[in-house]
Each structure stands twice: as structure tokens, then as C-alpha cells.
Amino acid sequence: MASRGSVKSFYRQKKSGGITKSNSKPSPSTKKSSATIGAALAQSPALVSHGSPDLKDDYGESEQLLREFDVNMAYGPCIGMSRLSRWERADKLGLNPPEEVGVVLGKGKVGLQCLWDGRV
Amino acid sequence: MGFIGRGKPRAHEQDERFAIQKEKYGGQQYSQIYFARLHYMRSVLYSLIPNWKPQVPVCTVLGLEKGKECIIVGTIYKHMKLKPCVLDEYSKERSAVPIVKPHNFMHPDDHLVLEDESGRVKLSGDVFSPSTFVTGIVVALHGKETDAGDFLVLDILEAGLAPQIEFSLDSREEKYVVFVSGLSVGGSSSNPLHFQLLEQAIASQIVRVVIAGDSVEIPHGILNGQNLGTKELSRLSEPTKELDIFITQLAAAVPLDIMPGPNDPANFSLPQQPLHRCLFPGASTYNTFTSCTNPHLFELDGVSFLGTSGQNVDDLEKYSDAKDKLEFMERQLRWRHIAPTAPNTLECYPFTDRDPFFMESCPHVYFVGNQNKYESRLLKGSEGQIVRLICIPKFCKTGVAVALNLRNLECHTLSFSINLDM
């Protein structure tokens, strides 16, 4: 979990318990593409319309690509590093990280932290 | 400022790898430095395996198959019964484990585990003794998985001494480097007269003095939680003032490198950053004065030096066994890592993309400060490397400094004592 100075971000209570949703989301940095457990808006329309829980949170293909990069052990642990610095490290160590990931990260409209950020 | 008769050697400071000013802490844990270490060491070991056992396949820990001989590469973890664990506070039964030797945590039941990104496996077999290994070294193991689920080790490959730039024993002039450590200025065992004798002994042939840590002894006893009065404040700063006076006199005569040690006013974790210039208002005006990191890497006249103030070797002594300190130092060179127990039991900075304690090249001189006695040996490597290993004793206890001849890497002691009862 990246701590960047303020105590609030360090002790931010983001874990709102697995399947149950919480309606209050005080964090201002929640973007559409960084999926968090308990994003109320993403769940309710699906439940209502299909009658079954939509297990896939609301994120796009690029986030899926980045998550696969996060969990790939060949590039080392992902916790505590921004995705871009982990990609740069993989590049520097000669591990040939996938080009598309570097391109997507360079564009910047995606989650910059790994998928565990704020969850552990 | 000309040094009459002192041949100036070509000097080259290489401490940038140990500087942490440019590092930005982003909340990372120590898993990152272990990953970097495994990556660099594995590249080295993979290049050596074809010459070692060309027929045996290499696989990952998760790829092990029962009974099939293969080679695995990973980081050693030594499970030690007596090693204090922070989680012991939370265990329900407090088994009183008596620590017979508090300075050493070894136990006959210690066992080794090998770990890579995919998993970990317990090691068995009698080709090795856990007492010579510590957590944090990276090795290649030849063996096979047993029915019990552990890995029976048949053979071990360590990286061995790193490549070394050839040292030419040509006709150089006689030039000496003097090493001293543990001055402990301001402490009860330090005698200013000893230091005066050391200064006088700096002959014209000495081209550099290296002070390997623990130069001051700050009276911590007066820090008792109360506000300090002016008298206590000046007592606190006395040792560094006294040290500055000595260092200034020394810097006026010879190029000087001062490294921080475990008891000096520098950061606690490795790599220790250079002692601040403001501690040396007198000495820092001389361009012969250099405040260095610990570990300290430099080159003088084509001879490469690497040394520490002692923490790395002292930590090995707590978790493993050897016949003398020089053997610990030799093991570090063969493991190509000067601080393998960092960050497990030796504090260090959580680097993410490098491990500055990993040695890409082998030095010609490897020194360790603040040891109990002077010891030295010339180590010869399998590819023709030669390394002068030096244990520098604590000056405040022994009055002994070490002089190294740059021409042939021979070493001798300079002993200063004021024995008034003759």
C-alpha cells in the first residue's frame, strides 16, 4: 500500500467486507477503471436486471491486461510499487515485459497502482 | 597543497551505488530487494551451471518431480529455532527457550529451505551443514525430490569469486594505505595519546588513511528522557568536536576516508550514509577529507578496495559458524554478497530494482572494521583472483592499526601503546 505522506491515506479504511456493498465511498480518487470491492453503483443494476450477481467489477480491457501484468511472478512482487516503476524495473533487468503494458501505462488514463493497492 | 615526497596515486571513489538520496520510498516491502537479488544471482548461476553439470536439467521449485534429478536455483532460508521471532509474543504457550549463548542463535535442529518465485522446498541430505549457511544467499542445488516432499541435496554450487580486474605486481613504488577503526573518541577506553602517536606515524609513504567506523562514542547514558541542560548538551557534542580536531590534523597530512560505523551519528540501516560535513567543521575544509558510505568501495592506483565497518560480518557470526572471521569474509566473497543476512536480521534499505551488496566484480582488498583482533590472509580464487582479506581491530581496545603495501598487497600492523610500567 503506497503511503504518500498523509496519515489519512495510510489508515484509509477501504476494506468493506467482501460481498456486501457499502454505500459510502469517501475516497476521492476512485476512478472508473480502478475497481474496488463494494462499488455500489456497479452492482445494483446488474442484480436487478439479470437476477444474478455480476462478479466482474466495472473495469475495462486495459485494466484486465494490467492485472495480468501485476500477478505475473516473473516480474517480481507487485505490492508497494507503482505499475510503471515495476514495468521499468522489469525492462531494466532485461525481463522483456510486454510492450502493450508499457504503452497503456504511458497513456496514463489507467490505474497506476497494482490491484492490491489499498486492499492489503 | 603539495605533499613533499608523497606520490599521489590515482583515486576513484565508487560509493554512488550505496547512496540512498535518490531513492524514493513508495511503501515497498523487502520482497522487492529479494527479487532483485535472486534475479542478479540467478543470471550468474545459470551461466555457471552448464560447466558444472551440463546434463542435468534446471527447473523451478514448483516444477520438481519426485525422484527426478534436477537443478534448482533459489534463495536459502534458514529456519532457526532459537532466533527471536516477533510473533512469539502472540503464541499461546510461552515455551521458555533458554538462550545459552545469546550472541549466537544456532541450534542442531536448524534446517534450510530453498525458495524461488514459484515456491519453497525443505532441504535434506548430509552434503552440507546448515551451520555454514545463512538466510539470504542464492545458490544452485543438484538433487531430487523425495517421497517425504523435501529436496535431497546431492551437490551445491555457489557463485564463487566474481571476475576481477587483473592486479599487476609490477615495479611500483612502496605506497601504503593505513586502516584503523573503533577510535571511539570520547569513550572511556579511548586514549588521545594513542591517536597522537598514530598521527606521528603517518610517514610520507602513506598515501591514504581509511577510518572504518565507530570513530566516536556518544555518551548515551545522559539521554534519560529529561530535557538536557546546556552542560549535558555540550557533553553530548564533545566527542565529535574532539574527533574533528584529530581528523583535521590527519587530513592536513594525508588523504583521509572516514566511514560511519554502528555507533556513529549516521543512519542505522545499511548502507550507512556518509557522516555529515557539519560534524567536521575543521576537517571538511580540506579536500583530502572524504566522508564515505558504509560499505565503502574505491579504487587506488588500480587496486580496488571494498570494506565495511563490521556489521555484515558480525551478523554472520550470530547465525552461522566458522573457524575465524576471515572464513566469514571468504564465504561472502564466494557467495558474491557482502551482506546476505540483510534485510532478514541486518537492517537495510528496501531497494526495489537493485541490491547494492551484490558484487559484480571482486575487489583486491576486502576489509572489515571493529573486530576483536587483527587477522589477515591472501585469498586465491579459481580464476586467478587474489584478494587480501583484512580484519581491522578496534583501536580503542588494541591500539593497533593496519598498513597495506599497495605494491604487493602485503599487510602488517602498526601498534601503538603507552605502557608506562616498563
Side-chain angles (χ1 to χ4, degrees):
Chain A
M1 171 165 81
S3 45
R4 266 182 292 271
S6 88
V7 173
K8 267 206 185 126
S9 65
F10 195 82
Y11 286 108
R12 172 176 60 200
Q13 302 287 321
K14 259 214 162 168
K15 286 187 266 199
S16 38
I19 301 165
T20 58
K21 330 176 276 273
S22 82
N23 281 319
S24 56
K25 288 303 293 176
S27 165
S29 61
T30 310
K31 296 197 188 83
K32 259 258 161 102
S33 55
S34 68
T36 53
I37 298 172
L41 283 169
Q43 291 285 353
S44 6
L47 273 175
V48 166
S49 53
H50 299 286
S52 58
D54 178 10
L55 293 167
K56 195 165 187 281
D57 278 329
D58 186 25
Y59 60 86
E61 237 187 72
S62 50
E63 177 65 21
Q64 177 68 20
L65 176 71
L66 291 174
R67 285 188 176 194
E68 277 166 24
F69 173 67
D70 282 344
V71 298
N72 189 340
M73 277 317 288
Y75 309 118
C78 65
I79 293 181
M81 284 180 88
S82 74
R83 281 171 167 161
L84 186 60
S85 52
R86 184 161 170 266
W87 191 91
E88 280 167 355
R89 173 181 73 181
D91 197 36
K92 178 182 160 196
L93 296 183
L95 299 168
N96 293 322
E99 280 291 335
E100 317 86 70
V101 175
V103 164
V104 166
L105 287 171
K107 283 198 198 133
K109 286 208 178 112
V110 291
L112 295 174
Q113 301 303 324
C114 76
L115 81 149
W116 305 120
D117 182 53
R119 293 186 181 183
V120 294
Chain B
M1 137 236 85
F3 295 123
I4 300 157
R6 195 189 303 279
K8 269 169 93 172
R10 298 180 315 276
H12 187 39
E13 299 287 339
Q14 292 160 325
D15 280 344
E16 309 83 46
R17 62 189 293 139
F18 299 119
I20 56 177
Q21 282 77 13
K22 296 208 177 77
E23 299 287 329
K24 190 159 188 284
Y25 182 64
Q28 67 268 25
Q29 298 183 3
Y30 289 118
S31 53
Q32 309 291 354
I33 188 177
Y34 276 120
F35 171 71
R37 183 184 302 177
L38 179 61
H39 173 83
Y40 284 113
M41 291 278 336
R42 190 162 46 189
S43 315
V44 168
L45 288 165
Y46 276 177
S47 69
L48 299 172
I49 286 171
N51 286 333
W52 180 51
K53 296 197 186 224
Q55 308 303 331
V56 187
V58 176
C59 67
T60 60
V61 167
L62 218 51
L64 283 175
E65 288 168 37
K66 274 207 209 328
K68 182 175 162 211
E69 269 187 37
C70 60
I71 294 175
I72 51 175
V73 178
T75 314
I76 295 270
Y77 175 77
K78 181 152 126 175
H79 184 90
M80 301 182 78
K81 203 164 168 159
L82 294 180
K83 181 178 146 206
C85 173
V86 70
L87 297 175
D88 287 342
E89 289 177 32
Y90 300 101
S91 71
K92 294 222 161 83
E93 337 119 14
R94 302 238 185 172
S95 54
V97 176
I99 297 177
V100 176
K101 288 190 292 179
H103 58 278
N104 185 287
F105 298 102
M106 286 170 53
H107 189 278
D109 288 348
D110 293 341
H111 64 264
L112 300 183
V113 170
L114 190 87
E115 185 175 315
D116 68 10
E117 296 103 335
S118 62
R120 41 165 44 199
V121 64
K122 184 168 168 216
L123 304 180
S124 61
D126 42 19
V127 297
F128 65 95
S129 167
S131 63
T132 54
F133 290 87
V134 287
T135 298
I137 60 183
V138 179
V139 289
L141 301 176
H142 169 220
K144 55 186 176 202
E145 190 187 349
T146 63
D147 289 330
D150 50 16
F151 188 79
L152 177 69
V153 179
L154 301 169
D155 204 356
I156 303 175
L157 175 69
E158 294 170 343
L161 259 54
Q164 188 186 61
I165 297 169
E166 213 186 301
F167 173 74
S168 49
L169 275 144
D170 56 20
S171 55
R172 302 150 172 262
E173 304 146 25
E174 297 278 315
K175 288 184 204 163
Y176 293 86
V177 174
V178 167
F179 297 93
V180 70
S181 76
L183 297 171
S184 293
V185 169
S188 51
S189 42
S190 128
N191 189 334
L193 290 176
H194 278 152
F195 200 85
Q196 302 291 350
L197 289 176
L198 175 64
E199 280 172 39
Q200 316 246 327
I202 303 298
S204 62
Q205 286 172 322
I206 294 174
V207 292
R208 188 174 279 218
V209 170
V210 177
I211 302 179
D214 276 4
S215 309
V216 284
E217 198 174 294
I218 311 273
H220 294 289
I222 62 178
L223 298 168
N224 54 5
Q226 308 279 338
N227 283 332
L228 294 179
T230 37
K231 190 157 156 251
E232 276 99 6
L233 279 174
S234 60
R235 264 191 67 197
L236 210 50
S237 57
E238 266 313 305
T240 36
K241 287 201 185 111
E242 213 183 312
L243 177 70
D244 185 39
I245 295 171
F246 291 148
I247 299 293
T248 308
Q249 290 166 20
L250 214 46
V254 65
L256 176 74
D257 283 359
I258 183 164
M259 295 161 60
N263 293 320
D264 285 323
N267 59 311
F268 178 70
S269 64
L270 293 183
Q272 283 184 292
Q273 299 303 289
L275 293 166
H276 202 282
R277 290 174 64 91
C278 69
L279 294 169
F280 304 101
S284 54
T285 58
Y286 287 88
N287 66 357
T288 46
F289 171 80
T290 314
S291 184
C292 313
T293 55
N294 168 32
H296 182 33
L297 180 65
F298 64 100
E299 197 193 290
L300 206 55
D301 240 10
V303 178
S304 66
F305 292 74
L306 174 63
T308 68
S309 302
Q311 295 103 317
N312 58 335
V313 168
D314 293 344
D315 205 55
L316 280 189
E317 208 185 15
K318 287 193 213 154
Y319 301 99
S320 64
D321 220 3
K323 66 177 197 286
D324 55 20
K325 290 287 174 78
L326 294 175
E327 197 178 336
F328 286 126
M329 292 168 73
E330 185 182 335
R331 283 185 196 157
Q332 289 174 333
L333 292 174
R334 294 201 190 284
W335 294 329
R336 291 202 203 182
H337 204 281
I338 55 172
T341 52
N344 186 39
T345 46
L346 186 59
E347 283 285 341
C348 84
Y349 182 84
F351 293 98
T352 53
D353 57 355
R354 64 196 176 97
D355 183 346
F357 310 109
F358 162 69
M359 303 160 96
E360 293 105 358
S361 65
C362 190
H364 297 106
V365 179
Y366 179 37
F367 63 91
V368 164
N370 295 298
Q371 298 307 302
N372 291 329
K373 58 182 175 144
Y374 162 74
E375 286 179 282
S376 181
R377 185 152 56 92
L378 196 65
L379 176 68
K380 298 220 164 75
S382 58
E383 316 285 316
Q385 301 99 328
I386 43 164
V387 193
R388 166 60 65 181
L389 307 176
I390 311 175
C391 285
I392 308 163
K394 291 198 208 346
F395 192 75
C396 62
K397 297 255 151 64
T398 61
V400 168
V402 182
L404 170 86
N405 188 337
L406 279 184
R407 187 176 62 84
N408 54 15
L409 298 186
E410 295 279 313
C411 229
H412 64 268
T413 54
L414 301 171
S415 192
F416 305 93
S417 78
I418 311 158
N419 201 341
L420 296 172
D421 23 82
M422 297 273 226

